[in-house]
Short mmCIF file of all heavy atoms in Angstrom, two decimals:
data_model
loop_
_atom_site.label_atom_id
_atom_site.label_comp_id
_atom_site.label_asym_id
_atom_site.label_seq_id
_atom_site.Cartn_x
_atom_site.Cartn_y
_atom_site.Cartn_z
N ALA B 7 138.10 76.29 70.44
CA ALA B 7 139.12 77.22 69.97
C ALA B 7 138.48 78.19 68.98
O ALA B 7 137.68 77.78 68.14
CB ALA B 7 140.27 76.48 69.29
N GLY B 15 146.80 93.75 61.23
CA GLY B 15 146.10 94.06 62.47
C GLY B 15 146.83 93.72 63.75
O GLY B 15 146.41 94.14 64.81
N THR B 18 151.07 94.95 62.10
CA THR B 18 150.88 95.95 61.06
C THR B 18 149.47 96.50 61.17
O THR B 18 148.59 95.89 61.75
CB THR B 18 151.08 95.33 59.65
OG1 THR B 18 150.08 94.32 59.44
CG2 THR B 18 152.46 94.71 59.51
N TYR B 20 147.49 98.75 58.23
CA TYR B 20 147.53 99.59 57.04
C TYR B 20 146.23 99.58 56.24
O TYR B 20 146.16 100.23 55.20
CB TYR B 20 148.70 99.18 56.13
CG TYR B 20 148.67 97.74 55.67
CD1 TYR B 20 148.00 97.36 54.51
CD2 TYR B 20 149.31 96.76 56.40
CE1 TYR B 20 147.96 96.05 54.11
CE2 TYR B 20 149.28 95.45 55.99
CZ TYR B 20 148.61 95.10 54.84
OH TYR B 20 148.58 93.79 54.46
N GLN B 40 134.53 89.66 81.12
CA GLN B 40 133.19 89.33 81.57
C GLN B 40 133.03 87.83 81.86
O GLN B 40 131.95 87.40 82.26
CB GLN B 40 132.16 89.76 80.52
CG GLN B 40 132.08 91.25 80.31
CD GLN B 40 131.18 91.61 79.13
OE1 GLN B 40 130.79 90.77 78.32
NE2 GLN B 40 130.85 92.89 79.04
N HIS B 49 143.33 81.58 68.97
CA HIS B 49 144.53 81.43 68.14
C HIS B 49 144.42 82.41 66.99
O HIS B 49 143.34 82.57 66.41
CB HIS B 49 144.64 80.00 67.58
CG HIS B 49 144.89 78.98 68.62
ND1 HIS B 49 146.15 78.56 68.95
CD2 HIS B 49 144.04 78.29 69.43
CE1 HIS B 49 146.07 77.66 69.91
NE2 HIS B 49 144.79 77.47 70.22
N THR B 52 148.67 84.42 61.22
CA THR B 52 148.97 85.60 60.42
C THR B 52 150.24 85.39 59.60
O THR B 52 151.03 84.50 59.89
CB THR B 52 149.12 86.84 61.34
OG1 THR B 52 149.26 88.01 60.53
CG2 THR B 52 150.30 86.72 62.28
N GLU B 58 161.45 93.85 63.20
CA GLU B 58 162.38 94.97 63.35
C GLU B 58 162.17 96.07 62.30
O GLU B 58 162.84 97.09 62.34
CB GLU B 58 163.82 94.44 63.29
CG GLU B 58 164.12 93.49 64.43
CD GLU B 58 165.46 92.80 64.29
OE1 GLU B 58 166.21 93.10 63.34
OE2 GLU B 58 165.76 91.94 65.13
N PHE B 67 151.64 94.26 68.99
CA PHE B 67 151.80 92.82 68.80
C PHE B 67 152.01 92.13 70.16
O PHE B 67 151.37 91.12 70.44
CB PHE B 67 152.99 92.54 67.87
CG PHE B 67 153.19 91.08 67.58
CD1 PHE B 67 152.57 90.48 66.50
CD2 PHE B 67 153.99 90.29 68.40
CE1 PHE B 67 152.75 89.13 66.23
CE2 PHE B 67 154.17 88.94 68.14
CZ PHE B 67 153.55 88.36 67.05
N LYS B 91 163.75 84.83 54.01
CA LYS B 91 163.84 86.29 53.92
C LYS B 91 162.76 86.95 54.76
O LYS B 91 161.67 86.42 54.91
CB LYS B 91 163.69 86.74 52.46
CG LYS B 91 164.87 86.42 51.60
CD LYS B 91 164.70 86.79 50.13
CE LYS B 91 163.75 87.89 49.83
NZ LYS B 91 163.58 88.21 48.42
N ILE B 96 155.57 95.86 53.51
CA ILE B 96 154.34 95.09 53.72
C ILE B 96 153.92 94.36 52.44
O ILE B 96 153.54 93.21 52.47
CB ILE B 96 153.21 96.01 54.23
CG1 ILE B 96 153.56 96.48 55.63
CG2 ILE B 96 151.88 95.30 54.22
CD1 ILE B 96 152.65 97.56 56.17
N ARG B 102 148.87 86.13 44.87
CA ARG B 102 148.08 84.91 44.97
C ARG B 102 148.89 83.69 45.40
O ARG B 102 148.45 82.91 46.23
CB ARG B 102 147.39 84.64 43.63
CG ARG B 102 146.01 84.17 43.80
CD ARG B 102 145.23 84.07 42.54
NE ARG B 102 146.01 84.05 41.33
CZ ARG B 102 145.49 84.16 40.14
NH1 ARG B 102 144.21 84.30 40.00
NH2 ARG B 102 146.23 84.13 39.06
N SER B 103 150.09 83.50 44.84
CA SER B 103 150.87 82.31 45.20
C SER B 103 151.32 82.38 46.66
O SER B 103 151.34 81.36 47.36
CB SER B 103 152.07 82.15 44.27
OG SER B 103 152.98 83.22 44.43
N ALA B 113 146.18 75.86 57.21
CA ALA B 113 145.50 74.56 57.26
C ALA B 113 146.30 73.55 58.07
O ALA B 113 145.73 72.77 58.84
CB ALA B 113 145.28 74.03 55.84
N LEU B 116 145.67 74.48 61.72
CA LEU B 116 144.32 74.05 62.12
C LEU B 116 144.25 72.55 62.33
O LEU B 116 143.60 72.07 63.27
CB LEU B 116 143.31 74.45 61.04
CG LEU B 116 142.69 75.82 61.16
CD1 LEU B 116 141.88 76.15 59.91
CD2 LEU B 116 141.81 75.94 62.37
N SER B 117 144.91 71.79 61.46
CA SER B 117 144.88 70.32 61.56
C SER B 117 145.53 69.82 62.84
O SER B 117 145.20 68.75 63.32
CB SER B 117 145.61 69.70 60.36
OG SER B 117 144.93 69.99 59.17
N ARG B 120 143.74 70.29 68.71
CA ARG B 120 143.00 69.13 69.20
C ARG B 120 141.77 69.52 70.01
O ARG B 120 141.20 68.67 70.72
CB ARG B 120 143.93 68.24 70.04
CG ARG B 120 145.05 67.64 69.22
CD ARG B 120 144.47 66.66 68.21
NE ARG B 120 145.45 66.31 67.20
CZ ARG B 120 145.25 66.40 65.89
NH1 ARG B 120 144.10 66.82 65.42
NH2 ARG B 120 146.18 66.06 65.04
N ASN B 121 141.33 70.74 69.90
CA ASN B 121 140.12 71.16 70.60
C ASN B 121 138.91 70.41 70.03
O ASN B 121 138.89 70.05 68.86
CB ASN B 121 139.91 72.66 70.45
CG ASN B 121 141.12 73.45 70.87
OD1 ASN B 121 142.07 73.54 70.09
ND2 ASN B 121 141.13 73.99 72.07
N LEU B 127 137.60 81.92 61.58
CA LEU B 127 137.25 83.16 60.88
C LEU B 127 138.42 83.57 59.99
O LEU B 127 139.55 83.65 60.45
CB LEU B 127 136.99 84.28 61.88
CG LEU B 127 135.92 84.05 62.93
CD1 LEU B 127 135.92 85.20 63.94
CD2 LEU B 127 134.56 83.92 62.28
N ALA B 128 138.15 83.81 58.73
CA ALA B 128 139.18 84.29 57.80
C ALA B 128 138.88 85.74 57.47
O ALA B 128 137.86 86.04 56.86
CB ALA B 128 139.19 83.45 56.53
N HIS B 129 139.76 86.63 57.91
CA HIS B 129 139.62 88.05 57.59
C HIS B 129 140.35 88.32 56.29
O HIS B 129 141.57 88.41 56.27
CB HIS B 129 140.22 88.93 58.71
CG HIS B 129 139.33 89.13 59.87
ND1 HIS B 129 138.39 90.13 59.91
CD2 HIS B 129 139.21 88.46 61.03
CE1 HIS B 129 137.74 90.08 61.06
NE2 HIS B 129 138.22 89.08 61.75
N ALA B 134 141.14 82.66 52.11
CA ALA B 134 139.88 82.08 51.64
C ALA B 134 139.91 80.55 51.49
O ALA B 134 138.95 79.88 51.86
CB ALA B 134 139.45 82.73 50.33
N PRO B 135 140.97 79.93 50.97
CA PRO B 135 140.93 78.48 50.75
C PRO B 135 141.24 77.61 51.96
O PRO B 135 141.24 76.39 51.85
CB PRO B 135 141.98 78.25 49.66
CG PRO B 135 142.86 79.43 49.66
CD PRO B 135 142.11 80.55 50.30
N PRO B 141 142.33 68.49 55.88
CA PRO B 141 141.83 67.17 55.47
C PRO B 141 140.59 66.68 56.22
O PRO B 141 139.70 66.13 55.62
CB PRO B 141 143.02 66.22 55.72
CG PRO B 141 144.10 67.04 56.33
CD PRO B 141 143.66 68.47 56.39
#
Side-chain angles (χ1 to χ4, degrees):
T18 63
Y20 59 88
Q40 294 172 348
H49 293 266
T52 187
E58 297 172 4
F67 182 91
K91 288 177 26 181
I96 292 171
R102 221 172 18 190
S103 65
L116 271 171
S117 295
R120 295 294 166 232
N121 306 80
L127 303 173
H129 278 274

